[in-house]
Amino acid sequence: MSAPQAGLHDLLATTPVVPVLAIDSVGTALPLARALVAGGLPVLEITLRTPAALEIIRAIAGEIEAAVVGAGTVLTPEQYRDAVRVGARFVVSPGATPALLDVAEASSVPFLPGAGTSSEVMRLLERGYGCLKFFPAEPAGGVAYLQALVAPLPGALFCPTGGINAARAPGYLALPNVVCIGGSWVAPRDAVAAGDWAAITRLALAAAALRSAPKAGPQPPGP
Ligand code: 3PG
């Protein structure tokens, strides 16, 4: 694992759940982020799926000291550079391309590439990525699939994302190759639209309590 990736692994190991957020405005994103941080979920992924996403990352990075904000759904080298420019502390992609990996390797901001099959995992391990997003977690096989990767791919640790909810979360977090999980269930659309930040803090508190101590399990392989 490269030094930036080891740092990212250590960051992800501090939280059971990374909220994955697609938000339309800074005005909504700031109180939402504060509500999640207040509930004990400071590591946030803002997906580049809305026109306001970069502005939102810049605002959270500048205004909410306790938050650690990353950029998600990063598909191109240009988006990677944009995310770094506005202050993203980490970058997440549903997959990985050679062009994205080249930019990531030249950046001090760590990359969490996505993988959904054994061959994708193996290719990323070859390039030094031992900490991966498993996406889309539920459609790709869920807990049973990840469990099946433990023995043959012991060097790979995952942040599964996609289709996970409060009921499914404990099954993932119990796996030895799961560092943390990602999901949008802690920020439901209706609560966000209603500005019901107290409800979001309650969901975050429940998610944060899924694991109270940093994950103990296989350590990332050395350099
Ligand atoms: C992601 O971008 O990681 C996922 O779309 C989030 O998945 P979810 O909305 O099913 O939690």
Side-chain angles (χ1 to χ4, degrees):
M1 215 179 276
S2 65
Q5 251 247 319
L8 177 58
H9 168 274
D10 293 349
L11 170 68
L12 295 177
T14 64
T15 187
V17 177
V18 176
V20 177
L21 307 170
I23 309 298
D24 289 320
S25 74
V26 172
T28 299
L30 286 175
L32 170 60
R34 287 195 180 98
L36 291 164
V37 171
L41 298 181
V43 183
L44 308 174
E45 177 185 329
I46 304 296
T47 60
L48 302 193
R49 296 185 204 163
T50 65
L54 291 171
E55 195 192 340
I56 286 169
I57 292 169
R58 191 196 295 279
I60 294 174
E63 296 187 33
I64 307 181
E65 210 178 313
V68 182
V69 63
T73 321
V74 171
L75 307 179
T76 67
E78 188 186 10
Q79 287 178 322
Y80 201 116
R81 290 188 204 100
D82 285 344
V84 171
R85 181 172 46 78
V86 296
R89 304 262 294 273
F90 59 95
V91 170
V92 186
S93 179
T97 66
L100 264 182
L101 293 171
D102 286 346
V103 173
E105 281 156 24
S107 175
S108 58
V109 174
F111 184 39
L112 185 70
T117 66
S118 303
S119 292
E120 289 167 6
V121 173
M122 287 165 65
R123 278 196 288 273
L124 287 164
L125 284 170
E126 265 180 14
R127 281 192 74 148
Y129 292 88
C131 190
L132 311 171
K133 169 168 168 144
F134 176 59
F135 181 82
E138 279 292 306
V143 168
Y145 190 101
L146 275 178
Q147 173 74 63
L149 298 186
V150 173
L153 299 171
L157 300 172
F158 298 95
C159 171
T161 307
I164 302 180
N165 56 24
R168 293 178 176 135
Y172 284 95
L173 289 167
L175 293 174
N177 57 351
V178 168
V179 181
C180 66
I181 57 182
S184 59
W185 86 88
V186 287
R189 263 178 203 290
D190 53 349
V192 173
D196 190 350
W197 311 127
I200 285 171
T201 294
R202 282 195 297 276
L203 286 168
L205 283 166
L210 287 169
R211 195 178 60 219
S212 49
K215 173 98 174 162
Q219 293 302 302

